[in-house]
Amino acid sequence: MDDTTLLMIPGPTTVPKRVLDAMSQPIINHRGAEYGEFLGETTAMMSEVFQTDNDSYLLTGSGTSAMETAVANIVEKGDKVINIVSGKFGERLQQLTEVFGGESIEITVPWGQAVDPAEVKRVVEENDDAKAVTLVHNESSTAVVNPIKEVGDIMKDYDTLFVVDTVSSLAGDTVKVDDFGLDICLTGSQKCIAAPPGMAAITIGDDAWNVIDNVDSPTYYLNLKKMKKSGDKVPPQTPYTPNVSMTYAMNEALSMVLEEGLDARIKRHHTGAEATRQAAKALGLELFAREGDYSNTLTAIKMPEGVTDDQLRGTMRNKYNIELAGGQDHLKGNIFRIGHMGITGLPELAATFTCLEMTLKEFGFDFDAGAGVAALEDVYLKNA
Amino acid sequence: MDDTTLLMIPGPTTVPKRVLDAMSQPIINHRGAEYGEFLGETTAMMSEVFQTDNDSYLLTGSGTSAMETAVANIVEKGDKVINIVSGKFGERLQQLTEVFGGESIEITVPWGQAVDPAEVKRVVEENDDAKAVTLVHNESSTAVVNPIKEVGDIMKDYDTLFVVDTVSSLAGDTVKVDDFGLDICLTGSQKCIAAPPGMAAITIGDDAWNVIDNVDSPTYYLNLKKMKKSGDKVPPQTPYTPNVSMTYAMNEALSMVLEEGLDARIKRHHTGAEATRQAAKALGLELFAREGDYSNTLTAIKMPEGVTDDQLRGTMRNKYNIELAGGQDHLKGNIFRIGHMGITGLPELAATFTCLEMTLKEFGFDFDAGAGVAALEDVYLKNA
């Protein structure tokens, strides 16, 4: 670790030097064959990470641009859409539904909990004219993972599309687009893939294309029909000028994912998550999410009484150069969040919990010094 | 020059090493004060380059995302919009107008010519209920510059907004947003600013905000009200995760623009353009654009009889590692285009014309060897 701030937030995450170096290569013509072939290689790796035989598309934009792409290309005025809302990003898919004229049927899930698949089945059954169900796999605002496999299994019995946001889970938790029956799946560059922010990806199944082809979408930059038309060229292109440097970064970051192996990488994320939870508990801290619903890429911890968000995260930042995330919306000040995604692992968690222990001591908390780190060690030894 | 392909296309242009290096710095928290202050410094430079006192916003997207932002935030179903169409990018603003439900009133300008301001006055007068006039300053599909100052002077007498695309001109030709009365002005990162592609910028005047505030725009990712709300924070933020690396690149590239001086940089572009035109003529080639309407950032040259696009540009690419641009749409095969924007100058033009002479000789063209380069020298000596 060098003197740069340690990013322990749920994205953007620390970017490996290999990826940063890739990004500083000279720009090439985005309409030339060399770029086209490189793009094709990169989107093929993207599909491999999505675990799908479908084509994937890279978007020059952040995760939200992919969320808008997913919604804007299927929802028309008056369309019913079932939005599962269990946090800020679930809300965002609902807002997008409404922006594009859809009628949102909300499945409300308390923040900190995962959705119950039986509830999804009930609502889908009741609304068999709904065009889509939207679900955020890993709700980073609450550090909860939603059961996309179980919901996917239910959705296989209905014509309703299943749209899944895996921005903060893909390459860090299990996402099998084809096996799980995800009709549309989207992600971002700056979370578990560990590239810089600024690129997003989306993959579309045949049933979704049938819908998209019949929608006159009020979007141009994020138009999937245009992306497909350009992507189908040999070699593939993008409809508008892509971020060439970010394509280099994604190619390198996805290569690193596949070199590590998807299963190994996901196991590493699970270990880091379990270690973080045990370390927090060993310091007497309480987790925010309901037991069993814990995210595998970040952890939300209740702000302990006796210290404010400014004091805790401020000390971690100013004294120890470690950046933690706060709560969002009504959770602001009530929780703090530790991201353990991408290349973040034991060294970073060790530094984080050592400094968290020192910070808590400074504010008069009582626990055995080293208890958090001891819990980390225990989990890592068991999972070695 | 190293062994990388020489990019003589109208964007993306060659990116200076300083900018590429800036981009490979570690990622910082996009919600932290450090990023916010850096963003504020960068958008302030952006406004300086736009020559405006208005705020500017950086978009994580390509130039087209800024075009969509400009249109989507002001046009509602049934709104009349006057689209000046003199090439592919003028057409794109018209398509965007229609995507967002606007009624396009087209001012058709033959490809290769600039719009006549008197014609704009006539049409604006006739349609005083039009919400906006859209104009592409530098139409890179035809290598023509449109008279934004003269049209701006006319527009000052009307309530109709003046929306100007300066994607391929800003920092390479004269754009004075406040003086010229441009209500909305947008640009891209990868042209005369010489950063990589993947970021765009937009600046909005008070009259435009009055319209935007009253439009219920069907856009989320490109929503200007959200950009303003986040941008007004101290320090400023972006509504969604920005491309942090591209913000580094833009900061460095804009610093280089301001170090060189906007006037000096524009004069350098004018000299490069004049040199290119004279060199082309000296080889017996014909320019595509009408005399007097020539772009200052790229030049379109008619494909001479006796050589195909594949032969000419293919030889330049495969034998000499120099990338030229072809024609778009119906101009495909009929013209080729040389970009002279960003940091591209005498060394690159010398290499390009030397190799172009050799290519033309190979296909049997007759001219004095060295005539093109001699013309370059002459223009550069006169403008030293």
Side-chain angles (χ1 to χ4, degrees):
Chain A
M1 282 173 279
D2 55 22
D3 66 348
T4 55
T5 301
L6 184 56
L7 274 187
M8 297 301 290
I9 60 176
T13 57
T14 301
V15 176
K17 185 161 185 312
R18 259 178 73 178
V19 175
L20 290 175
D21 287 349
M23 215 173 23
S24 64
Q25 293 172 93
I27 304 299
I28 57 173
N29 180 10
H30 65 293
R31 295 291 177 222
E34 187 186 352
Y35 179 79
E37 281 154 22
F38 189 79
L39 174 68
E41 181 188 304
T42 312
T43 53
M45 283 195 282
M46 199 66 243
S47 287
E48 195 174 341
V49 173
F50 273 131
Q51 302 197 45
T52 182
D53 291 334
N54 297 325
D55 286 339
S56 297
Y57 303 90
L58 292 176
L59 282 61
T60 294
S62 70
T64 302
S65 74
M67 295 169 83
E68 177 157 338
T69 301
V71 174
N73 286 275
I74 60 168
V75 177
E76 287 181 302
K77 203 171 162 56
D79 284 344
K80 268 194 193 173
V81 175
I82 299 166
N83 301 120
I84 302 169
V85 180
S86 64
K88 192 177 171 67
F89 294 94
E91 265 179 17
R92 185 165 291 178
L93 285 167
Q94 181 178 42
Q95 287 162 359
L96 280 161
T97 297
E98 288 167 349
V99 161
F100 290 96
E103 182 198 329
S104 172
I105 295 159
E106 180 176 330
I107 298 181
T108 313
V109 181
W111 285 40
Q113 298 183 20
V115 71
D116 176 3
E119 173 70 0
V120 180
K121 188 178 167 68
R122 193 187 61 75
V123 176
V124 174
E125 192 95 24
E126 240 174 43
N127 297 278
D128 59 359
D129 55 339
K131 209 160 186 182
V133 168
T134 69
L135 179 57
V136 175
H137 182 206
N138 190 73
E139 181 54 75
S140 59
S141 64
T142 61
V144 159
V145 63
N146 278 304
I148 53 170
K149 181 189 182 309
E150 291 72 12
V151 176
D153 281 343
I154 292 165
M155 297 299 300
K156 285 172 187 165
D157 294 336
Y158 302 89
D159 288 337
T160 307
L161 296 179
F162 189 28
V163 177
V164 177
D165 169 335
T166 63
V167 169
S168 61
S169 62
L170 191 80
D173 206 346
T174 309
V175 179
K176 299 184 177 183
V177 167
D178 289 352
D179 278 7
F180 294 178
L182 315 185
D183 296 300
I184 297 183
C185 186
L186 62 98
T187 197
S189 53
Q190 80 279 19
K191 310 275 182 176
C192 304
I193 294 171
M199 202 157 239
I202 193 164
T203 186
I204 312 287
D206 288 342
D207 292 346
W209 279 122
N210 287 339
V211 171
I212 293 161
D213 285 341
N214 291 300
V215 166
D216 187 21
S217 175
T219 182
Y220 193 92
Y221 184 61
L222 301 174
N223 192 294
L224 277 165
K225 284 194 279 261
K226 288 180 198 285
M227 290 185 213
K228 186 175 187 338
K229 194 177 160 200
S230 298
D232 283 348
K233 290 181 182 168
V234 182
Q237 294 200 4
T238 55
Y240 315 114
T241 312
N243 188 322
V244 173
S245 316
M246 278 299 299
T247 317
Y248 298 153
M250 284 296 276
N251 188 289
E252 194 67 25
L254 291 168
S255 297
M256 288 180 73
V257 170
L258 296 171
E259 283 167 21
E260 180 175 8
L262 210 41
D263 290 345
R265 192 178 179 94
I266 290 167
K267 183 171 183 303
R268 181 168 62 71
H269 277 78
H270 281 234
T271 302
E274 176 63 12
T276 301
R277 291 190 291 263
Q278 295 308 329
K281 286 180 187 170
L283 300 181
L285 299 171
E286 258 185 278
L287 305 180
F288 174 71
R290 187 170 65 177
E291 199 174 339
D293 294 343
Y294 300 133
S295 160
N296 289 303
T297 65
L298 83 155
T299 299
I301 298 169
K302 290 185 189 168
M303 191 64 65
E305 281 201 34
V307 66
T308 65
D309 185 49
D310 271 0
Q311 289 171 328
L312 189 144
R313 289 199 302 127
T315 303
M316 288 292 284
R317 181 189 305 115
N318 301 326
K319 212 165 201 169
Y320 302 115
N321 216 13
I322 295 177
E323 189 84 22
L324 303 178
Q328 292 172 294
D329 295 346
H330 68 272
L331 293 179
K332 210 168 181 159
N334 299 325
I335 63 168
F336 66 97
R337 296 174 299 151
I338 299 177
H340 27 79
M341 36 175 85
I343 59 167
T344 301
L346 180 57
E348 293 81 9
L349 287 171
T352 301
F353 274 94
T354 301
C355 298
L356 183 60
E357 290 190 9
M358 291 163 78
T359 300
L360 290 170
K361 286 279 178 200
E362 184 177 330
F363 289 101
F365 285 81
D366 184 39
F367 51 81
D368 291 340
V373 173
L376 285 181
E377 291 173 15
D378 186 51
V379 172
Y380 271 94
L381 283 171
K382 277 183 187 149
N383 287 277
Chain B
M1 282 176 279
D2 54 23
D3 66 349
T4 55
T5 302
L6 184 55
L7 275 187
M8 298 301 290
I9 59 177
T13 57
T14 301
V15 176
K17 187 162 184 311
R18 261 178 71 179
V19 175
L20 290 174
D21 287 348
M23 215 172 25
S24 64
Q25 293 172 95
I27 303 299
I28 57 173
N29 180 10
H30 65 294
R31 295 292 177 223
E34 187 186 351
Y35 179 78
E37 281 153 22
F38 189 80
L39 174 67
E41 182 187 304
T42 312
T43 53
M45 283 195 282
M46 199 66 244
S47 287
E48 195 174 339
V49 172
F50 272 131
Q51 302 197 47
T52 181
D53 290 334
N54 297 325
D55 285 338
S56 297
Y57 302 91
L58 292 176
L59 282 61
T60 293
S62 70
T64 302
S65 74
M67 295 170 83
E68 177 157 338
T69 301
V71 174
N73 285 276
I74 60 169
V75 176
E76 286 181 302
K77 203 171 161 55
D79 284 343
K80 268 193 192 174
V81 174
I82 299 166
N83 301 120
I84 302 169
V85 179
S86 64
K88 190 176 173 68
F89 293 93
E91 263 178 18
R92 184 166 292 180
L93 285 167
Q94 180 179 42
Q95 286 162 358
L96 280 162
T97 296
E98 288 167 350
V99 162
F100 291 94
E103 183 199 329
S104 172
I105 296 158
E106 179 176 332
I107 299 181
T108 311
V109 181
W111 285 39
Q113 298 183 20
V115 70
D116 176 3
E119 173 70 0
V120 180
K121 189 179 167 66
R122 192 186 63 74
V123 176
V124 174
E125 191 95 27
E126 242 174 41
N127 298 277
D128 59 0
D129 55 339
K131 210 160 186 181
V133 168
T134 69
L135 179 57
V136 175
H137 182 206
N138 190 73
E139 180 54 75
S140 58
S141 64
T142 61
V144 159
V145 63
N146 278 303
I148 54 170
K149 182 190 182 309
E150 291 71 12
V151 176
D153 282 342
I154 291 164
M155 296 301 299
K156 285 171 187 165
D157 295 336
Y158 302 89
D159 288 336
T160 307
L161 296 178
F162 188 28
V163 177
V164 177
D165 169 337
T166 63
V167 169
S168 61
S169 61
L170 192 80
D173 206 347
T174 308
V175 179
K176 299 183 178 185
V177 167
D178 289 352
D179 279 8
F180 294 178
L182 316 185
D183 295 300
I184 296 183
C185 186
L186 63 98
T187 197
S189 53
Q190 80 280 19
K191 309 277 181 176
C192 304
I193 293 172
M199 202 158 239
I202 192 163
T203 187
I204 312 286
D206 289 342
D207 291 346
W209 278 121
N210 288 339
V211 170
I212 293 161
D213 285 339
N214 290 301
V215 166
D216 187 22
S217 174
T219 181
Y220 192 92
Y221 185 63
L222 302 174
N223 192 294
L224 277 166
K225 284 194 280 264
K226 288 181 197 285
M227 290 186 212
K228 185 175 187 334
K229 195 178 159 199
S230 297
D232 282 350
K233 290 183 183 166
V234 182
Q237 294 199 8
T238 54
Y240 315 114
T241 311
N243 188 323
V244 173
S245 316
M246 278 299 300
T247 317
Y248 299 153
M250 284 297 276
N251 188 289
E252 195 66 27
L254 291 167
S255 297
M256 288 181 72
V257 169
L258 296 171
E259 282 166 22
E260 180 174 8
L262 209 41
D263 289 346
R265 193 177 179 94
I266 291 166
K267 183 172 183 299
R268 179 167 63 70
H269 277 78
H270 281 234
T271 302
E274 176 64 13
T276 301
R277 292 189 291 263
Q278 295 308 327
K281 286 181 189 169
L283 300 181
L285 299 171
E286 255 185 281
L287 305 180
F288 174 71
R290 187 170 65 177
E291 198 173 343
D293 295 342
Y294 299 134
S295 161
N296 288 302
T297 67
L298 82 155
T299 299
I301 298 170
K302 290 185 189 169
M303 191 62 64
E305 281 200 35
V307 67
T308 66
D309 185 46
D310 271 358
Q311 289 172 328
L312 188 144
R313 290 200 301 128
T315 303
M316 288 293 282
R317 180 191 306 114
N318 301 327
K319 212 166 202 170
Y320 302 115
N321 216 12
I322 296 176
E323 188 82 24
L324 304 178
Q328 292 170 296
D329 295 346
H330 68 271
L331 293 179
K332 210 167 181 160
N334 299 323
I335 63 168
F336 65 99
R337 297 174 298 153
I338 299 176
H340 28 77
M341 34 175 88
I343 59 167
T344 300
L346 180 57
E348 292 81 10
L349 287 171
T352 302
F353 274 95
T354 301
C355 299
L356 184 59
E357 290 190 10
M358 291 162 78
T359 300
L360 291 170
K361 286 277 177 202
E362 184 176 330
F363 290 99
F365 285 82
D366 184 40
F367 51 83
D368 291 340
V373 173
L376 284 181
E377 291 173 16
D378 186 51
V379 172
Y380 271 93
L381 283 170
K382 277 183 185 148
N383 286 278

